[in-house]
């Protein structure tokens, strides 16, 4: 191992990357474009419809008036939820991000308030909502406005209609906050795997590797320089993605020591896969095709873009054989829910994978002819 | 360090097998320090295989190869520091400039004192130092490759087909650089399938065909030893001369307005010229040549040195 040699290689590879403007643009900007596009889509997910799921447990004339008042805003499309089902489950199942629950005894309280003039009578409506949805906050604000108007009409002091928020998750987070760690993982995978395969097959095809074999550089120097190169790219692109996400969407993710750890493990894993592929596939073009053939299914089957729970069981089990799955889960555990136990578990799995595949890559990477 | 000898390279009974195919078959030769040695042979003869075994990047199947007294299969890291290599079909990092490329290779060797500008000047690339590799023409790329091969001030320089694929002008410019190296007294190991290249540059030529070395010596020795005839060419000659020469028992060939005759000795030339004069025929000019290495090669192997000669001349 010779640091001067490693440094010289790093300089050459970073310069080559930087000067290849289109390639640089696509590798660093593509994930950011994904974030911007998906972020915008999820921000707007049902602004247009504003479906309101309404569960009326009271089933009285008075409670029906609430529904009418809500419909009268013209902004809400009321969908009734069977009083027999659990609102939280319904929120999850129906992809409704919010179910408004009118409690049993609403009419009774209303009568008491109206007829007996009991100023202390009130009723509490529940917002059962999914905090991962980006539009739910706006929807609640809209509902708050409607109820404030009703209260004003009733000149109720203290207000007759009160609301309470029941989250179906323990912590408020938005879909984007779930999405971004997946994109970070995907970006590191594409850069490390594709970068390794592309650069190595191209240099071999051009005979540069053969030339290097007649200099004092060792395989270890070369591989270390490649790892550092990929690590630097991964750090730059992760930083850019996080900055854009903060600036544009104001996401809140935990940035802690897990992030660099997962980046390191990811770089080793995917550079390792890249080295193995480079050995198997000789031509630069077929090597790129092979890299894509590995990466694309992995992106869709590892839950990079959407929660795995949406997929059939056998695909979910299959996902657990993919390194990207553990990277996704680990990054989400670390950055979204700050769950160190789950993060550690996933880090251990991907760490073991990285060790195996990287050593395999080292063994099969050849500079000189074998026999 | 191994025992130093007067030889830079010693190859003894070298063979190399790829699967069942014998690419190099029991070759032996020695290269003296300070000489330019050329391995001359057609495509597929085993030149690259041989040179890459000496450069430590391929393993011999059998035989012994020593470079500067060191066994090439054991002393790779000592050897690579003392040699410079221009591989066949040399190429470099597309987006890296001439100067940066030189600095890169210089760092690989840890030669911080290398005078990069001097090397760049040696190969006439001074006005291209800031250009990226990808923008250079083929001849400039080869010259950069030669400069890189010199970056560690090597004792032995290997050049595997340094001018293949270049146009005649670029080829002559590379030759100029190589003549400069020769003048400096570097030991140069050259492979080529261009006879003129070997003839112009080499002190010693080994002719290799189908993996075997079939002749070795200086270009002159090879021609002397294998050319038992002289070639007489008469320009703008009277057609009657053809008949006169044929009657003397020679087999003249007509080539446009020239006549070519193979003769065994200089005495024959005098006889022919006299006969033409006596017959009242005339000619504008004449010359007598020994056959060149190309013809020696053809005679020795029955195969042509390269098939691309016609195409290249056509491109001229
Ligand atoms: N890596 C290899 N594997 C198998 N056969 C090879 C390999 N390299 C060269 N050969 C074969 O060995 C013979 C000699 O090749 P080479 O040394 O490249 O010749 P030259 O350099 O004179 O053109 C050719 O028949 C070639 O096909
Ligand atoms: Mg060759």
């Amino acid at each position: 191992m010779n640091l001067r040699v490693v440094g010289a290689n790093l300089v050459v590879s970073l310069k080559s990357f930087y000067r290849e403007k289109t390639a640089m643009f696509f590798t660093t900007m593509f994930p950011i474009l994904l974030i911007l596009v998906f972020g915008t889509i999820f921000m707007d997910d049902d602004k247009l419809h504003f479906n309101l799921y309404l569960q009326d447990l009271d089933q009285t004339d008075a409670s029906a008036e609430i529904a009418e008042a809500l419909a009268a805003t013209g902004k809400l499309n009321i969908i009734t939820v069977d009083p027999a089902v659990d609102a939280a489950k319904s929120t999850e199942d129906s992809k409704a991000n919010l179910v408004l629950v009118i409690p049993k005894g609403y009419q009774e309280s209303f009568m008491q308030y109206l007829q007996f003039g009991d100023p202390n009578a009130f009723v509490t409506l529940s917002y059962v909502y999914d905090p991962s949805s980006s539009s739910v906050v706006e929807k609640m604000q809209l509902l708050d406005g409607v109820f404030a108007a009703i209260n004003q009409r009733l000149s109720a002091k203290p207000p007759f209609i009160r609301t309470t928020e029941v989250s179906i998750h323990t912590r408020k987070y938005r879909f984007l906050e779930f999405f971004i760690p997946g994109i970070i993982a995907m970006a590191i995978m594409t850069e490390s795997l594709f970068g390794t395969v592309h650069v190595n097959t191209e240099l071999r095809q051009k005979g540069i590797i053969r030339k290097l074999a007649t200099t004092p550089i060792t395989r270890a120097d070369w591989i270390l320089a490649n790892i550092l190169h990929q690590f630097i790219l991964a750090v730059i692109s992760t930083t850019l993605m996080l900055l854009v996400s903060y600036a544009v969407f104001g996401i809140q993710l935990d940035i802690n020591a897990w992030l660099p750890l997962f980046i390191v493990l990811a770089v080793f894993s995917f550079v390792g896969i890249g080295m193995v592929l480079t050995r198997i596939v000789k031509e630069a073009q077929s090597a790129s095709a092979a890299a894509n053939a590995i990466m694309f299914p992995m992106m869709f089957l590892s839950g990079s873009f959407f929660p795995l729970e949406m997929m059939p069981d056998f695909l979910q089990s299959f996902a657990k054989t993919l390194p990207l799955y553990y990277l996704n889960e680990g990054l989400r555990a670390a950055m979204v829910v700050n769950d160190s136990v789950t993060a550690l578990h996933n880090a251990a799995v991907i760490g073991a994978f990285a060790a195996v595949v990287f050593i395999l890559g080292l063994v099969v990477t050849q500079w000189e002819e074998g026999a | 360090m191994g025992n130093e000898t007067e030889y830079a390279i010693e190859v003894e009974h070298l063979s190399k097998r790829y699967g069942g195919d014998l690419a190099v078959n029991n070759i032996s030769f020695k290269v003296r320090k300070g000489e330019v040695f050329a391995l001359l042979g057609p495509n597929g003869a085993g030149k690259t295989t041989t040179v890459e075994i000496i450069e430590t990047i391929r393993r011999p199947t059998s035989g012994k190869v020593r470079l500067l007294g060191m066994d090439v299969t054991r002393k790779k890291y000592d050897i690579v520091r003392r040699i410079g290599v221009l591989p066949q079909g040399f190429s470099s990092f597309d987006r890296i400039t001439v100067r940066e490329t030189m600095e890169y290779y210089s760092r690989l060797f840890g030669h911080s004192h290398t005078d990069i500008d001097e090397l760049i000047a040696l190969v006439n690339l001074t006005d291209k130092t800031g250009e990226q590799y990808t923008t250079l023409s083929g001849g400039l790329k080869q010259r950069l490759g030669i400069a890189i091969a010199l970056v560690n001030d090597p004792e032995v320089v290997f050049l595997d087909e340094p001018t293949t694929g270049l146009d005649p002008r670029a080829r002559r410019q590379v030759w100029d650089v190589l003549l400069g190296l020769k003048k400096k007294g570097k030991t140069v190991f050259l492979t080529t399938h261009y006879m003129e290249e070997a003839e112009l540059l080499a002190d010693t030529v080994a002719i290799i065909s189908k993996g075997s070395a079939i002749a070795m010596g200086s270009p002159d020795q090879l021609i002397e030893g294998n050319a038992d005839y002289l070639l007489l060419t008469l320009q703008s000659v009277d057609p009657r001369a053809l008949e006169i020469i044929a009657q003397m028992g020679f087999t003249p060939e007509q080539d446009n307005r020239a006549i070519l005759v193979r003769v065994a000795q200089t005495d024959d030339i005098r006889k022919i010229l006299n006969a033409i004069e006596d017959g009242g025929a005339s000619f504008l000019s004449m010359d007598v040549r020994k056959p060149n290495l190309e013809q020696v090669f053809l005679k020795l192997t029955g195969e042509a040195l390269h098939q691309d000669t016609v195409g290249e001349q056509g491109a001229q």
Side-chain angles (χ1 to χ4, degrees):
Chain A
M1 198 72 68
N2 181 327
L3 289 184
R4 184 195 61 239
V5 171
V6 173
N9 272 288
L10 191 56
V11 168
V12 162
S13 60
L14 287 173
K15 274 182 182 161
S16 296
F17 178 76
Y18 177 72
R19 288 172 188 172
E20 204 67 64
K21 297 283 190 234
T22 36
M24 180 180 71
F25 178 79
F26 281 109
T27 31
T28 52
M29 292 315 288
F30 181 65
I32 290 176
L33 287 176
L34 269 185
I35 289 174
L36 290 175
V37 168
F38 278 72
T40 313
I41 292 173
F42 289 129
M43 281 268 269
D44 292 348
D45 56 1
D46 51 6
K47 236 179 215 165
L48 299 174
H49 323 292
F50 260 29
N51 287 334
L52 179 70
Y53 289 78
L54 180 67
Q55 187 180 43
D56 183 357
L57 298 177
D58 199 40
Q59 296 288 341
T60 57
D61 291 345
S63 64
E65 276 171 27
I66 293 263
E68 277 162 31
L70 290 168
T73 61
K75 288 176 186 163
L76 294 165
N77 172 30
I78 312 279
I79 298 165
T80 47
V81 175
D82 184 353
V85 304
D86 173 38
K89 197 164 179 329
S90 164
T91 308
E92 256 189 303
D93 294 349
S94 65
K95 287 182 216 153
N97 54 9
L98 184 147
V99 176
L100 177 67
V101 183
I102 303 175
K104 204 159 177 54
Y106 172 80
Q107 180 158 295
E108 214 174 296
S109 305
F110 193 58
M111 285 310 180
Q112 190 171 2
Y113 176 81
L114 269 187
Q115 292 182 343
F116 305 105
D118 180 354
N120 291 323
F122 69 92
V123 70
T124 303
L125 307 185
S126 310
Y127 300 155
V128 180
Y129 74 104
D130 175 357
S132 68
S133 167
S134 61
S135 65
V136 77
V137 176
E138 281 172 76
K139 203 180 277 187
M140 284 191 214
Q141 283 167 351
L142 184 68
L143 292 175
D144 286 344
V146 173
F147 299 137
I150 294 176
N151 283 335
Q152 209 164 24
R153 263 208 319 276
L154 296 170
S155 62
K157 241 181 235 178
F160 170 68
I161 294 178
R162 302 177 191 189
T163 57
T164 179
E165 297 172 5
V166 183
S167 167
I168 59 169
H169 290 279
T170 49
R171 176 181 173 275
K172 288 190 187 189
Y173 69 89
R174 294 161 49 188
F175 181 80
L176 254 193
E177 287 158 0
F178 161 92
F179 182 70
I180 285 163
I183 297 298
I184 291 177
M186 182 209 76
I188 298 175
M189 171 178 77
T190 15
E191 284 163 10
S192 294
L193 204 164
F194 198 79
T196 303
V197 167
H198 180 71
V199 167
N200 284 291
T201 46
E202 188 179 86
L203 294 189
R204 184 174 57 201
Q205 221 167 20
K206 294 179 80 186
I208 295 178
I209 300 284
R210 211 150 37 95
K211 166 73 197 180
L212 291 177
T214 67
T215 72
I217 185 175
T218 62
R219 262 184 342 154
D221 295 330
W222 173 261
I223 290 166
L224 181 63
N226 187 24
I227 285 278
L228 286 175
H229 172 82
Q230 296 303 343
F231 180 71
I232 290 171
L233 292 194
V235 167
I236 291 174
S237 109
T238 303
T239 308
L240 281 178
M241 282 185 265
L242 288 174
L243 285 178
V244 168
S245 309
Y246 276 114
V248 180
F249 302 112
I251 53 130
Q252 290 186 322
L253 290 169
D254 289 316
I255 309 299
N256 45 40
W258 288 109
L259 182 58
L261 176 72
F262 277 110
I263 293 179
V264 169
L265 295 178
V267 166
F268 271 91
S269 302
F270 295 116
V271 167
I273 297 180
M275 293 196 299
V276 174
L277 259 192
T278 308
R279 176 59 201 277
I280 297 170
V281 188
K282 298 293 177 199
E283 300 289 312
Q285 278 179 347
S286 27
S288 304
N292 281 329
I294 288 182
M295 291 189 305
F296 275 101
M298 197 129 86
M299 268 181 228
F300 291 104
L301 298 177
S302 302
S304 297
F305 304 122
F306 43 79
L308 270 181
E309 294 80 59
M310 289 168 63
M311 299 203 306
D313 283 349
F314 77 96
L315 282 181
Q316 290 192 33
S317 325
F318 179 70
K320 291 180 180 147
T321 64
L322 303 173
L324 188 61
Y325 166 82
Y326 295 94
L327 188 59
N328 285 333
E329 294 295 302
L331 279 174
R332 281 175 188 143
M335 299 173 77
V336 182
V337 290
N338 205 351
D339 173 357
S340 292
V341 177
T342 310
L344 180 65
H345 167 75
N346 287 291
V349 175
I350 192 166
F353 177 82
V356 170
V357 78
F358 187 72
I359 289 169
L360 191 63
L362 278 185
V363 171
V364 300
T365 299
Q366 275 194 330
W367 275 25
E368 296 139 57
E369 170 198 48
Chain B
M1 238 38 20
N3 51 321
E4 300 282 329
T5 66
E6 65 173 298
Y7 295 108
I9 301 169
E10 296 155 277
V11 173
E12 288 168 25
H13 306 296
L14 173 65
S15 293
K16 172 70 180 183
R17 213 174 255 292
Y18 293 113
D21 303 328
L22 204 52
V24 174
N25 183 9
N26 194 23
I27 286 186
S28 300
F29 59 83
K30 288 177 178 179
V31 178
R32 272 190 322 280
K33 283 182 181 164
E35 83 170 325
V36 176
F37 185 96
L39 209 50
L40 174 69
N43 278 335
K47 301 183 299 294
T48 297
T49 301
T50 305
V51 72
E52 292 195 347
I53 288 171
I54 306 172
E55 291 162 358
T56 78
I57 61 175
R58 294 195 202 198
R59 309 202 118 257
T61 304
S62 63
K64 258 212 171 99
V65 179
R66 275 190 302 277
L67 201 148
L68 299 167
M70 296 176 280
D71 185 334
V72 294
T73 61
R74 297 219 178 103
K75 297 274 190 176
K76 178 184 168 70
Y77 285 95
D78 293 320
I79 288 173
V80 292
R81 284 173 194 286
R82 297 169 69 182
I83 64 174
V85 172
L86 174 77
Q88 179 167 359
F90 164 79
S91 185
S92 191
F93 307 98
D94 277 340
R95 294 295 183 180
I96 303 302
T97 67
V98 167
R99 169 161 259 287
E100 288 166 345
T101 305
M102 293 294 291
E103 282 164 354
Y104 168 71
Y105 280 100
S106 168
R107 278 190 203 121
L108 293 192
F109 284 98
H111 273 238
S112 47
H113 57 274
T114 313
D115 190 340
I116 285 171
D117 291 316
E118 188 188 309
L119 283 178
I120 290 175
L122 182 77
V123 296
N124 289 317
L125 283 177
T126 305
D127 51 345
K128 301 282 181 189
T129 47
E131 304 272 322
Q132 291 181 3
Y133 177 79
T134 184
T135 66
L136 302 177
S137 69
L140 300 190
K141 285 176 175 169
Q142 281 303 86
R143 273 144 59 186
L144 173 61
I146 294 168
I148 291 170
L150 300 173
V151 83
N152 55 327
D153 194 16
E155 290 160 67
V156 186
V157 182
F158 292 90
L159 307 163
D160 194 358
E161 306 218 8
T163 64
T164 296
L166 300 188
D167 62 58
R169 211 179 90 119
R171 171 169 305 149
R172 263 186 294 276
Q173 286 165 342
V174 169
W175 285 346
D176 284 342
V177 171
L178 299 184
L179 284 170
L181 286 188
K182 186 181 163 90
K183 218 183 264 169
K184 283 179 144 190
K186 285 263 184 226
T187 309
V188 176
F189 189 102
L190 176 78
T191 79
T192 183
H193 62 250
Y194 295 114
M195 172 276 304
E196 322 89 277
E197 191 161 288
E199 212 164 345
L200 174 73
L201 299 168
D203 300 307
T204 306
V205 176
I207 293 179
I208 176 172
S209 166
K210 301 191 173 100
S212 299
I214 51 179
M216 208 173 313
S218 69
D220 286 343
Q221 283 170 340
L222 284 174
I223 290 165
E224 292 296 334
N226 294 287
D228 40 12
Y229 63 93
L230 295 167
L231 199 61
L232 169 67
T233 309
L234 300 167
Q235 296 289 352
S236 302
V237 72
D238 207 311
R240 272 179 297 161
L242 199 68
E243 225 169 285
I244 297 168
I245 299 168
Q247 275 164 9
M248 294 171 74
F250 297 103
T251 45
E253 287 164 38
Q254 182 132 28
D255 180 13
N256 282 335
R257 304 201 40 211
I259 291 177
L260 294 102
V261 196
R262 285 186 177 204
V263 297
Q265 53 221 349
T266 38
D267 205 35
D268 293 333
I269 294 170
R270 196 181 41 76
K271 283 182 198 156
I272 290 172
L273 296 182
N274 286 342
I276 291 174
E277 207 172 322
D278 293 347
S282 67
F283 57 90
L284 195 64
S285 68
M286 59 150 277
D287 75 67
V288 181
R289 259 184 288 176
K290 290 178 186 168
N292 58 26
L293 278 179
E294 182 106 44
Q295 283 139 347
V296 169
F297 185 86
L298 191 64
K299 183 194 159 197
L300 286 173
T301 65
E303 54 179 327
L305 205 44
H306 49 106
Q307 291 79 39
D308 51 4
T309 316
V310 175
E312 275 166 20
Q313 280 170 347
Q316 226 159 356

